Amino acid sequence: LIGFFGLMEYFRSWSAHYVDVEDSFWGFVMRRFLAYYYTALNNGSGLLLTLEWPTYEMEHVLSWLYRFPALIGPIFRYAFEVQTLDYTFLGRFADPEFNNMSGIFTIYYDMGVAGALLYAGAWGCFAGAAYASARARRGVLRLLYPLFFLSILEAMRVIYLGDPRAFPAVLTLVLGHALFRTRVDVPSQPHQIRRARRHATVEGRWFRPRVGRLFGR
């Protein structure tokens, strides 16, 4: 995570400005990395301490829906009477530039204690299912496993799965899997499997490994 963060910061901040004012690249990366996380946690805890919650407006959990293009985003904001996504807490008590609000406290702010626990339970179940699907190398959830993995890494900083940057990836992967996956009729009965293996000639090199993989052989 730190290596990936450092790579991104090199092109985003270091080469443009901080190379002239900082002595060490990795010292800069570590200070900036820690600053992202502790300001996010501080903002999230401050949000709960200073404002009324839960709001049930899902401003953070469904941030991608509030920012959806065309008419969907504006209609959703109008329905919940949220005209802007600029955080009230940052404008009144903190710094709007440091807009990471944590991926933990903001769930409580949107959904309350019971809702946050249900959200975390569903999040964990889907993350576990995605991991199992990735290990088995089948199922649409295997494609979403990297996103769930990243959402766990970033939990202290942002609700990654609710962020607009994650939604296009989820939509693209799910639709791509549904439209372009190869459908294979796999025999289900033992005698069908034996017949398929016996008669596989030209297709043998392609068919047999997949049948064996699916049935643990």
Side-chain angles (χ1 to χ4, degrees):
L1 176 60
I2 293 174
F4 180 74
F5 178 82
L7 178 65
M8 296 297 102
E9 287 298 312
Y10 178 84
F11 295 103
R12 194 170 75 96
S13 302
W14 174 261
S15 59
H17 172 70
Y18 288 97
V19 65
D20 298 320
V21 298
E22 294 278 351
D23 296 328
S24 168
F25 171 70
W26 287 110
F28 157 77
V29 167
M30 288 304 301
R31 285 191 296 273
R32 198 166 179 86
F33 178 84
L34 294 174
Y36 268 108
Y37 282 86
Y38 68 66
T39 54
L41 292 171
N42 185 65
N43 285 340
S45 59
L47 184 72
L48 299 185
L49 287 172
T50 56
L51 302 180
E52 294 293 328
W53 60 279
T55 64
Y56 299 112
E57 293 176 350
M58 307 303 175
E59 182 180 348
H60 306 88
V61 172
L62 296 178
S63 176
W64 64 269
L65 192 53
Y66 277 100
R67 299 178 185 274
F68 206 86
L71 292 176
I72 296 178
I75 290 174
F76 201 78
R77 291 197 297 272
Y78 177 79
F80 282 96
E81 299 181 352
V82 176
Q83 299 304 318
T84 177
L85 292 179
D86 294 332
Y87 301 117
T88 304
F89 167 79
L90 295 178
R92 291 173 57 189
F93 303 104
D95 188 339
E97 182 180 355
F98 302 108
N99 57 4
N100 292 330
M101 300 296 294
S102 96
I104 301 173
F105 296 109
T106 45
I107 301 175
Y108 287 93
Y109 180 77
D110 281 356
M111 306 177 68
V113 175
L117 293 176
L118 289 174
Y119 182 94
W123 180 16
C125 288
F126 276 104
Y131 174 69
S133 179
R135 291 200 62 183
R137 301 181 183 180
R138 60 177 179 268
V140 66
L141 284 179
R142 77 185 187 278
L143 304 177
L144 301 181
Y145 171 65
L147 298 178
F148 278 101
F149 180 73
L150 188 58
S151 75
I152 294 171
L153 288 181
E154 292 283 51
M156 290 190 295
R157 191 173 69 89
V158 294
I159 305 177
Y160 184 75
L161 295 177
D163 197 272
R165 77 189 79 180
F167 177 74
V170 173
L171 186 64
T172 301
L173 290 171
V174 172
L175 290 179
H177 182 269
L179 294 175
F180 301 110
R181 65 178 179 175
T182 302
R183 297 183 178 273
V184 179
D185 293 326
V186 178
S188 58
Q189 300 299 322
H191 69 278
Q192 293 176 332
I193 298 174
R194 288 194 296 270
R195 185 183 304 116
R197 287 175 174 171
R198 187 167 57 250
H199 292 287
T201 53
V202 177
E203 301 170 291
R205 294 180 182 177
W206 181 88
F207 185 73
R208 286 179 183 173
R210 285 157 179 77
V211 172
R213 187 185 305 161
L214 289 174
F215 290 87
R217 298 180 182 177

